[in-house]
Amino acid sequence: MRLLSFAPIAALVLTGLAYSVQPSQATQRPMTPATADEICAPFLVADDDEYERRRYRPSGAVGAAPPPPAPPPPPTQAADQAVVVTGSRRAQPAMESAASGIARPAMMPRPQPQNRERYDGEAVAAIMAVAEEPVSTFAVDVDTGSYANVRRFLNEGRVPPQAAVRTEEMVNYFRYDYARPADRTRPFSITTDMATTPWNENTRLLRIGLRGYDIERSERPAANLVFLVDVSGSMHRRNKLPLVQCSMAMMAEQLNPRDRVSIVTYAGSTKTILTGSNDRDEIIAALGRLRSGGSTAGAAGISLAYDAARANMIEGGINRIILATDGDFNVGTTNRDQLIEMVEREREAGISLTTLGYGTGNYNEAMMEQIANHGNGNYAYIDSAMEAHRALVQELSSTLFTIAADVKIQIEFNPLHVQEYRLIGYENRLLAEEDFDNDTVDAGEIGAGHQVTALYEIVPTGSRGWLPERRYEGNRPAARGGQGAELAFLRLRYKLPGEDESRLIEQPIGRSAMVNARAPSGDMAFVTAVAAFGQRLRGDTYLGDFDFADIRRLAQAAGRSSDYWRGEFVTLTELAEARSAPGGTREGG
């Protein structure tokens, strides 16, 4: 079995160092790459000119010239009113008069494309008084796309729009030292712990952590996958279709002989490139031949992909569409609600939908995140070949194999010990209290090895809280009694794959956790730093003067300095601090 050799050298992508490939002096290599290594080789350089040479001559051979650039895509239709549009439009270059009196463009830098990125922002979760709202309920979320997208903005020298920041996805991007499940009769372990809050001496931080059981590669069921690839004109840029080809090729390298892959493309029209193949070389070669051009009939592409998935359905196996696009649908059905209805119908037939987001300028994250949520899949943003390797190679089993569906968390706080609370993040995953026991309400999925982390900031009873005291006694919350030894009671519901009836896990959280709370350290320090980072970027008002420098010190104090991803996070706090300095600008603002 051929193993991808990309991983040891992939770190060069994010350090900005060039990785040189010596031209072959013996033979001219074919224009279409034959391996994932060759497709991904152009991303191991920092220079754009060298990238273009390698893109069309993978080993540096002299010969085929790059094809002419694709024509610009047609104007995009206006987005739905419910979608938040962020970014700014650049003015056209001024005209100046020459001596002859003929107007000509001024000598100015080439104008940048208009920024038409779209995000759905939710208001920061409200403070809750336990005497009035003692129960908090939400669906789990294992998506990580927001973190990678925020990283892209910061690496480009920009502060991300607040609507692009989802704190729970920032937190869940990283792995923590949660215990493995004791056995598979219960698909995940549950960890709870508590620490004092670095930004508020009157509150405490309660962490709830889930960890799904792991599976070996040989244990994974056979997979029927449809690679649905956007090849429209908007995908021509380096960080779009070429990076999609690299990502999908890396994933193809990891598949088993039992797996089947179909490839469907869409631009102004749709096309089936490959159907139900288990030939790795054939799959990668087909990916290497893809070229971009035309408008974007995304809904038609999704429909054709579902046809391909049904045609190759594996009973008892994994049946999943993996959509790779910038989300800029502009032909046919472009209404997000109609697309959501389509993916909800198909998920009931056992076909899930995962979305991989790419690119800048016209990226429609509002579309990507929502259709993945409603398609029982997950959403990731791919900003580099290294991120593709992380999401589609290192975490392949988590991406593909679901071990628990419709996972919901509900916590009831004891008014004897907790006065107020707020859930950090999960604003678009909140559920009504009655939804917890309703098995028809859709919630989040957990894949093999997935982790989920949730943080609550709580005010111990008798401490100074966020809410002001009400003037009239009749309007003041009257706390009722509870179990003296319990701080809170935790409930989880989940369904095993193929089952319609949920299972329940219950466990108390002892008051001793709050009594013994200390300053966060180790993993708790790092997760607290990431949560603070997300809150600071999205403009949460509860951090006081806890700034990016404080966040950085907390992350560094957590240890594990050899962890590449955690080290990168520390660097991002420095970038965010520099971009947020007085005089800086925020995207969309």
Side-chain angles (χ1 to χ4, degrees), residues 144-222:
T144 60
S146 179
Y147 181 84
N149 194 31
V150 163
R151 177 177 62 202
R152 182 260 297 186
F153 273 103
L154 293 173
N155 281 332
E156 291 177 349
R158 301 180 288 164
V159 178
Q162 293 180 356
V165 183
R166 289 184 294 280
T167 304
E168 72 277 8
E169 294 186 24
M170 310 283 282
V171 167
N172 285 326
Y173 186 86
F174 299 94
R175 295 192 66 80
Y176 307 100
D177 293 330
Y178 299 142
R180 297 174 183 269
D183 56 61
R184 295 186 183 180
T185 57
R186 197 165 81 173
F188 42 78
S189 64
I190 304 173
T191 300
T192 60
D193 57 356
M194 189 171 290
T196 57
T197 307
W199 54 83
N200 189 338
E201 63 181 7
N202 296 308
T203 66
R204 300 292 182 266
L205 289 175
L206 170 63
R207 175 171 62 154
I208 301 170
L210 310 181
R211 176 175 175 170
Y213 67 76
D214 299 294
I215 62 170
E216 297 295 331
R217 184 177 176 182
S218 58
E219 292 183 85
R220 177 177 60 78

Side-chain angles (χ1 to χ4, degrees), residues 268-393:
S269 59
T270 59
K271 186 176 182 181
T272 301
I273 304 296
L274 201 63
T275 303
S277 175
N278 63 357
D279 185 328
R280 187 184 298 120
D281 293 334
E282 180 183 36
I283 296 166
I284 294 174
L287 290 168
R289 288 192 294 268
L290 299 180
R291 294 293 181 265
S292 59
S295 53
T296 316
I302 293 175
S303 179
L304 184 60
Y306 278 119
D307 290 343
R310 284 191 295 271
N312 294 280
M313 197 83 170
I314 298 177
E315 293 297 329
I318 299 165
N319 298 280
R320 185 175 295 249
I321 295 169
I322 300 176
L323 168 60
T325 177
D326 59 12
D328 190 21
F329 297 178
N330 55 32
V331 171
T333 300
T334 60
N335 182 282
R336 186 179 53 182
D337 291 339
Q338 293 177 358
L339 291 170
I340 287 173
E341 288 178 7
M342 181 194 303
V343 300
E344 285 181 339
R345 287 195 304 269
E346 297 291 350
R347 81 183 180 203
E348 301 305 321
I351 302 172
S352 56
L353 174 69
T354 285
T355 59
L356 304 178
Y358 294 81
T360 65
N362 63 339
Y363 182 52
N364 188 350
E365 198 220 42
M367 176 83 73
M368 301 292 288
E369 195 250 352
Q370 284 299 306
I371 62 174
N373 287 347
H374 290 271
N376 281 0
N378 48 307
Y379 155 65
Y381 180 81
I382 309 298
D383 61 337
S384 68
M386 192 170 183
E387 179 64 22
H389 188 272
R390 179 184 184 276
L392 301 178
V393 176

Side-chain angles (χ1 to χ4, degrees), residues 233-295:
S234 68
M235 293 290 289
H236 180 69
R237 295 181 179 275
R238 172 180 180 174
N239 58 1
K240 294 189 178 183
L241 181 57
L243 186 53
V244 171
Q245 292 169 296
C246 171
S247 306
M248 297 290 195
M250 281 194 284
M251 187 175 185
E253 289 273 11
Q254 307 305 309
L255 299 178
N256 296 323
R258 298 175 298 127
D259 300 328
R260 306 170 189 169
V261 172
S262 302
I263 299 177
V264 173
T265 63
Y266 65 90
S269 59
T270 59
K271 186 176 182 181
T272 301
I273 304 296
L274 201 63
T275 303
S277 175
N278 63 357
D279 185 328
R280 187 184 298 120
D281 293 334
E282 180 183 36
I283 296 166
I284 294 174
L287 290 168
R289 288 192 294 268
L290 299 180
R291 294 293 181 265
S292 59
S295 53

